[in-house]
Amino acid sequence: MSNQLQKLAWMTGLALVLVNPPVLAKDSQKPISKIPQLSEVEKPATSIQQWLAQSLVQITGVKSQATDKGIEIILETNQSDQLQLTNQSQGNSYIVDIPNAQLRLASGDIFRQEKPTAGITEVTVRNLDANTIRVTVTGESGAPQVELFDGDEGLVFGVVPTVTITQTPQTPTTPPQPEQQPSSETQPEQPPAQNEPPIELVVTGEQDRYRVPNASTGTRTDTLIRDIPQTIQVVPEEVIKDQKVTRLRDALLNIGGVVQDGGFGGTVDQIGIRGFFGGGTFGGSILTDGFKDGRGGIRETANVERIEVLKGPASILYGGVEPGGVINLITKQPLRDPYYNAELSVGSFSTFRPSIDISGPLNSDKTLLYRLNSVYETSDGFRDFDQDVQRFFISPSLKWEIGKATNLTFQFDYLNDERPFDRGFLAFGEGIIDTPLERFFGEPDDVSKVEEIGLSYRLEHNFNDNWKIRNAFRYQSSDSFDYRAEPVRLNETTGILTRNFRSNDDYSESYTLQTDVVGKFATGSINHTLLFGVDLARFTSGGTQSRAPGGITPSIDVFNPVYNAVPRPGLDALTNVVRNNQDTSDGLGIFLQNQIAFADNLKLLIGGRFDTVDQSSINLRNGSESGRYDSAFTPRLGIVYQPIEPISLYASYSKSFQPNFGRRPDGSILEAERGTQYEVGVKGEFLDGRLAATLAAYHITKSNIATTDIDNPDFFNAVGEQRNQGIELNVAGEISPGWNVIASYSHIDAEITKDNDGLQGNRPANVPSNTASLWTTYELQRGNLQGLGFGLGLFYVGDRQGDTSNTYIIPGYLRTDAAIYYKRDNWRAGINIQNLFNEKHYLGANFGRVAIEPGAPLTIIGSFSVTF
């Protein structure tokens, strides 16, 4: 009954948003975002189709004329007051996208002019898709300055070329670009207004493209990816939307060399990068807006704008992380103009997922902005359990522009997730047991419950155009509980699986404070971007694992299962407490980084970080205590050479460290794990910068891995070592108008090179030799079916060893996805098909031979969204 009431409440809320979107602020000027009243429309619409046609602004002509300072580009329309624009700089190009508009020229669907004036190489105006126009102005020595006016003939772009100026230390050669915080909005520097007041441009993200030119994860500054001497891949919001991704692991199928490691019964995001897995102190390798995310559940994507993946050691920026890299979830931020979006997805396994995303100003001068993302999800799942998925997430944020140079953003998120705890399939011989996909080897009401909270603020102050200070804080907590019939051992002769009723009850908290200063200056002809920062962090965790004594939990015949053979005992019957601990880690990190541009085509990245970590652990079963203090210096050195503008050759050296919670026989905590990487590669931009590719080769060694003590098998020594090396290729961008692609390939040669357990020479578990992905979409750009789009995806994961002893193999798979959608003006409808050919496949092994997570069968999701 409660489930039906929740559905009813969500549907009612969606209906209210769709029928009557709220107006939270009034703007007396409304230069672009003005919404026409019925009296302003020439002829009232009498049908939905007529209303949609009338709402699309037609640009019927394009003119270019010289001015004293540059050129003017005029888009001829009598509806310029209805347009809302977004802008960005990319290399030497200044790009403006105009949604809800269409170019209708007598001479064709594109306007192009080469070298219209000194300092400008090209101007193009074209249809980006069925309802978006893109204006691109490319300068000779840099991106030009652009100012917009609402003229008599239509929308007027005033373009001023960038002039190269000989520098002093106070005047950088390259005009400073604002440092990018997640989805932050920046106002480009503009020349003084001449006649009409300028129209405000608003940056709302990465323009819904498959190629993202800049990223902040690699340097903690907004830097062109082509200028960073490490591999960085981005899954932008448009890919997430087109694929209808709701799980982080599915979005990361687009990234080469990133695969799932276990998943703790399908309840946790455990992700490996370049063959290295792990959580570790302070949250492992998953970040949220640059903060290590120590929460252990399934991350929500409803408030994620894009996912940035930095390959290789990142300890210089983020402290203790795995050497394979980090995954940074960049969240959606408040917008300056009203935005209201509602979406409903329904599909296989009774999936029901409504969501809302609303944003805008709270006052007339737009100094107080808000955003709210929320989603509810319920599903039966594809396995035979009684426990359903019930999930609720909400994330409000508030941005206060205190002055022209200072802003403060608050963000809160809450997640409540309840789902089946499912260890999955079993190893059988050298492969996996052949039983129906839906068959479950626990008890049908095995359950996992997670409640998570996140709270943060981010303060930024610009001293001038070249220097700024940023201060940010984030609190995170996770309260998790599970109760399941844990698989212990399978008798492969009889098919009898021994099980044990177990329950974990855990809680964790993290507090992180970040402060850094970013400055741009020059020493003679050499430009510098300097980053200095201090991070403070505390991570606490604790909890229990209780087990039923022997003889209470019934075994099960995996070929003829009988469930609920005995009533599930109460928690008080789980009297064998094997874990009851309290762990604390305090960390301090101080780092310095310098991005040095010796010339436009030669750049050096150099930096280092000093970390201290103080760990303590209390065993509450016997009162024993242990602790360890570690310190580490982690450098990074990289160089980028660009022989021609579209090509970047790079090489880098970097180190990592990760605190270790394994214990020696004397009870002491092991020393921290260390990692070292060498990487070389080439990055290229093609098709006038619309398509980007990276080819990289790397060699990583990780040492001090906990391995079993020979004389005391219940304890460990830090003598293990793993060596991974490989090559990667990734491509993303637009091949032609309406045709987008994101693709990757990864080959990993992984080996355990040192170990006490006889595993030396083995391949680590869950590391495929080869992975590849291809996702491409095409949207019709003209004709009666304009706005109709198609998508096709191929995701390949090769064979993997199921355990470090290499006793069985998890077979590889090729998953085929497809999509068809239609979007027009402010609405979009689509159907996504995942695993089109219903291939039985496995995502990874959690541990040993009794916990192999299966992938979903053929899944169909229908969706409808509307935006105001």
Side-chain angles (χ1 to χ4, degrees):
M1 181 63 180
S2 61
N3 184 26
Q4 298 303 319
L5 289 175
Q6 287 174 317
K7 288 186 178 182
L8 180 60
W10 258 102
M11 293 300 291
T12 303
L14 283 174
L16 290 174
V17 171
L18 296 178
V19 175
N20 188 26
V23 178
L24 298 179
K26 295 183 178 179
D27 188 343
S28 59
Q29 296 179 354
K30 296 188 183 296
I32 286 191
S33 59
K34 178 180 177 183
I35 300 174
Q37 303 298 317
L38 183 61
S39 60
E40 298 175 326
V41 180
E42 294 181 2
K43 185 177 181 180
T46 58
S47 68
I48 293 178
Q49 289 79 7
Q50 290 181 13
W51 178 79
L52 294 175
Q54 289 179 356
S55 63
L56 197 65
V57 175
Q58 305 292 323
I59 303 298
T60 56
V62 180
K63 293 182 179 179
S64 174
Q65 57 190 32
T67 65
D68 293 339
K69 295 185 177 182
I71 59 171
E72 283 187 347
I73 304 167
I74 303 172
L75 304 189
E76 297 179 345
T77 179
N78 60 2
Q79 298 175 284
S80 60
D81 60 345
Q82 300 177 28
L83 296 174
Q84 179 175 327
L85 290 75
T86 57
N87 73 306
Q88 67 167 319
S89 292
Q90 177 186 317
N92 288 357
S93 297
Y94 193 93
I95 301 171
V96 178
D97 285 351
I98 310 173
N100 200 34
Q102 193 69 18
L103 196 62
R104 300 285 188 179
L105 304 180
S107 57
D109 290 337
I110 187 171
F111 171 88
R112 186 188 304 272
Q113 185 178 24
E114 295 184 356
K115 296 183 179 181
T117 189
I120 302 295
T121 60
E122 186 180 56
V123 174
T124 61
V125 183
R126 63 185 178 89
N127 288 320
L128 180 63
D129 54 37
N131 58 358
T132 306
I133 294 174
R134 170 163 290 181
V135 180
T136 304
V137 185
T138 303
E140 290 181 353
S141 59
Q145 295 177 327
V146 178
E147 186 174 5
L148 275 74
F149 301 95
D150 190 5
D152 294 336
E153 295 181 85
L155 194 61
V156 181
F157 292 75
V159 180
V160 179
T162 297
V163 179
T164 303
I165 301 174
T166 303
Q167 282 199 325
T168 66
Q170 291 77 27
T171 311
T173 302
T174 303
Q177 297 179 358
E179 309 303 338
Q180 181 178 356
Q181 295 302 317
S183 186
S184 61
E185 303 161 304
T186 55
Q187 183 75 20
E189 183 180 349
Q190 298 180 343
Q194 300 174 10
N195 299 313
E196 300 292 332
I199 294 175
E200 179 182 40
L201 278 76
V202 181
V203 176
T204 58
E206 293 297 340
Q207 309 304 313
D208 290 341
R209 297 177 300 109
Y210 276 27
R211 180 189 174 238
V212 179
N214 292 38
S216 59
T217 304
T219 58
R220 279 173 74 156
T221 64
D222 185 32
T223 304
L224 287 170
I225 292 176
R226 67 193 297 267
D227 292 342
I228 300 174
Q230 267 181 268
T231 300
I232 297 179
Q233 290 176 260
V234 182
V235 183
E237 185 179 12
E238 187 69 8
V239 173
I240 295 174
K241 288 180 178 179
D242 287 349
Q243 295 181 351
K244 279 293 165 282
V245 166
T246 61
R247 288 288 301 266
L248 176 62
R249 70 183 185 193
D250 292 328
L252 293 174
L253 286 173
N254 298 285
I255 306 295
V258 178
V259 297
Q260 178 168 320
D261 174 42
F264 194 59
T267 67
V268 174
D269 284 324
Q270 293 178 316
I271 307 295
I273 309 172
R274 286 184 170 173
F276 292 99
F277 306 90
T281 308
F282 306 124
S285 299
I286 296 180
L287 315 176
T288 298
D289 292 335
F291 287 96
K292 280 185 278 188
D293 195 331
R295 297 172 294 184
I298 295 173
R299 273 68 173 184
E300 180 53 56
T301 59
N303 70 330
V304 172
E305 179 176 280
R306 65 186 183 277
I307 302 168
E308 297 181 357
V309 180
L310 171 64
K311 304 285 190 68
S315 287
I316 179 178
L317 300 175
Y318 306 107
V321 293
E322 288 288 331
V326 294
I327 300 162
N328 193 12
L329 310 182
I330 308 297
T331 61
K332 299 174 182 178
Q333 299 295 298
L335 304 176
R336 293 180 61 85
D337 289 301
Y339 173 82
Y340 312 104
N341 173 268
E343 180 171 333
L344 176 64
S345 297
V346 296
S348 302
F349 321 118
S350 302
T351 298
F352 176 82
R353 183 181 165 94
S355 63
I356 58 171
D357 179 5
I358 58 177
S359 184
L362 290 171
N363 58 357
S364 59
D365 56 1
K366 298 184 179 181
T367 59
L368 196 61
L369 314 174
Y370 81 98
R371 191 154 192 169
L372 176 65
N373 293 100
S374 186
V375 64
Y376 169 76
E377 180 181 344
T378 181
S379 173
D380 293 344
F382 62 91
R383 302 266 282 165
D384 283 341
F385 17 65
D386 296 336
Q387 174 67 44
D388 293 339
V389 174
Q390 298 283 341
R391 183 176 176 89
F392 173 74
F393 173 83
I394 188 169
S395 178
S397 57
L398 183 69
K399 182 177 181 180
W400 179 24
E401 297 182 355
I402 301 173
K404 292 184 178 180
T406 308
N407 64 77
L408 177 64
T409 302
F410 296 95
Q411 191 167 26
F412 173 81
D413 58 77
Y414 171 81
L415 171 68
N416 189 296
D417 183 279
E418 183 174 323
R419 65 183 55 241
F421 189 100
D422 179 13
R423 283 296 192 186
F425 273 65
L426 312 167
F428 196 89
E430 296 182 354
I432 297 177
I433 193 167
D434 184 15
T435 55
L437 181 63
E438 63 273 9
R439 183 168 297 171
F440 183 63
F441 300 121
E443 289 294 317
D445 52 356
D446 286 355
V447 65
S448 167
K449 299 179 181 180
V450 176
E451 186 174 43
E452 297 180 344
I453 293 174
L455 178 66
S456 66
Y457 78 78
R458 189 179 298 271
L459 175 66
E460 182 175 318
H461 176 73
N462 295 285
F463 297 108
N464 52 43
D465 290 342
N466 296 325
W467 287 89
K468 67 166 57 176
I469 187 170
R470 301 178 298 196
N471 175 259
F473 170 81
R474 185 167 178 85
Y475 164 81
Q476 298 174 145
S477 70
S478 178
D479 189 355
S480 61
F481 168 84
D482 63 68
Y483 191 168
R484 79 273 188 183
E486 179 80 357
V488 178
R489 186 177 298 104
L490 174 66
N491 185 323
E492 297 185 12
T493 302
T494 64
I496 300 301
L497 175 66
T498 303
R499 304 181 303 174
N500 179 244
F501 281 125
R502 296 181 183 179
S503 176
N504 290 306
D505 193 349
D506 296 288
Y507 183 76
S508 67
E509 285 185 323
S510 65
Y511 306 82
T512 307
L513 180 67
Q514 299 177 345
T515 302
D516 58 50
V517 176
V518 181
K520 296 185 177 183
F521 62 96
T523 54
S525 61
I526 301 174
N527 294 326
H528 303 262
T529 299
L530 189 71
L531 171 70
F532 172 76
V534 178
D535 293 346
L536 289 169
R538 163 165 280 202
F539 181 81
T540 62
S541 64
T544 63
Q545 184 182 107
S546 302
R547 301 179 180 180
I552 293 180
T553 311
S555 299
I556 193 171
D557 185 341
V558 296
F559 299 109
N560 187 24
V562 176
Y563 302 107
N564 298 315
V566 299
R568 181 185 292 267
L571 290 173
D572 55 358
L574 308 184
T575 56
N576 182 18
V577 179
V578 299
R579 175 176 60 85
N580 187 1
N581 62 286
Q582 183 70 46
D583 299 321
T584 301
S585 293
D586 293 317
L588 167 66
I590 302 173
F591 57 92
L592 179 66
Q593 173 185 274
N594 193 359
Q595 296 169 254
I596 306 170
F598 295 101
D600 289 340
N601 65 341
L602 182 61
K603 293 149 182 136
L604 179 71
L605 177 63
I606 184 171
R609 178 184 178 112
F610 179 75
D611 277 282
T612 65
V613 177
D614 190 4
Q615 299 171 261
S616 63
S617 180
I618 303 175
N619 185 337
L620 299 177
R621 292 186 299 155
N622 56 25
S624 63
E625 299 184 17
S626 60
R628 180 175 180 85
Y629 177 85
D630 273 303
S631 62
F633 176 73
T634 49
R636 177 171 65 170
L637 177 65
I639 189 168
V640 178
Y641 173 62
Q642 293 153 343
I644 57 176
E645 186 176 352
I647 301 297
S648 299
L649 308 176
Y650 73 90
S652 65
Y653 162 81
S654 53
K655 295 181 75 69
S656 71
F657 95 105
Q658 171 85 303
N660 204 330
F661 264 110
R663 288 178 175 78
R664 295 186 180 88
D666 62 5
S668 61
I669 299 174
L670 300 179
E671 56 263 36
E673 298 174 343
R674 306 295 175 116
T676 302
Q677 174 183 270
Y678 302 89
E679 180 176 336
V680 295
V682 56
K683 301 181 182 183
E685 296 179 349
F686 310 97
L687 303 179
D688 296 326
R690 299 194 310 271
L691 191 72
T694 300
L695 175 65
Y698 62 88
H699 177 101
I700 305 175
T701 302
K702 178 181 177 182
S703 58
N704 292 347
I705 300 173
T707 183
T708 304
D709 185 277
I710 296 175
D711 299 322
N712 297 276
D714 293 332
F715 297 93
F716 300 90
N717 283 319
V719 298
E721 183 180 88
Q722 180 179 332
R723 187 270 301 145
N724 292 4
Q725 57 190 12
I727 59 172
E728 294 173 342
L729 173 66
N730 58 80
V731 179
E734 181 186 61
I735 297 175
S736 64
W739 184 8
N740 293 289
V741 65
I742 180 170
S744 68
Y745 169 74
S746 169
H747 172 77
I748 303 176
D749 175 17
E751 182 181 351
I752 299 172
T753 51
K754 293 182 182 179
D755 188 76
N756 275 349
D757 300 328
L759 304 179
Q760 186 170 335
N762 284 6
R763 188 175 182 87
N766 290 317
V767 182
S769 294
N770 298 287
T771 61
S773 67
L774 169 66
W775 171 262
T776 183
T777 59
Y778 181 74
E779 183 178 316
L780 299 180
Q781 302 295 294
R782 59 180 62 86
N784 295 330
L785 296 178
Q786 198 173 70
L788 179 65
F790 306 90
L792 177 66
L794 300 172
F795 304 99
Y796 172 75
V797 177
D799 292 349
R800 295 143 286 166
Q801 293 292 337
D803 57 9
T804 54
S805 298
N806 293 181
T807 64
Y808 71 100
I809 292 177
I810 303 174
Y813 65 88
L814 176 64
R815 194 184 94 179
T816 304
D817 291 3
I820 182 171
Y821 62 87
Y822 182 72
K823 59 182 181 181
R824 177 69 69 176
D825 303 306
N826 68 333
W827 62 271
R828 182 188 191 278
I831 296 175
N832 284 73
I833 304 174
Q834 299 170 356
N835 198 0
L836 178 64
F837 299 111
N838 199 29
E839 180 171 357
K840 189 175 183 179
H841 63 288
Y842 306 92
L843 304 179
N846 199 164
F847 66 90
R849 298 174 58 87
V850 292
I852 305 163
E853 184 170 351
L858 172 67
T859 303
I860 301 175
I861 299 293
S863 62
F864 180 83
S865 65
V866 61
T867 302
F868 296 95

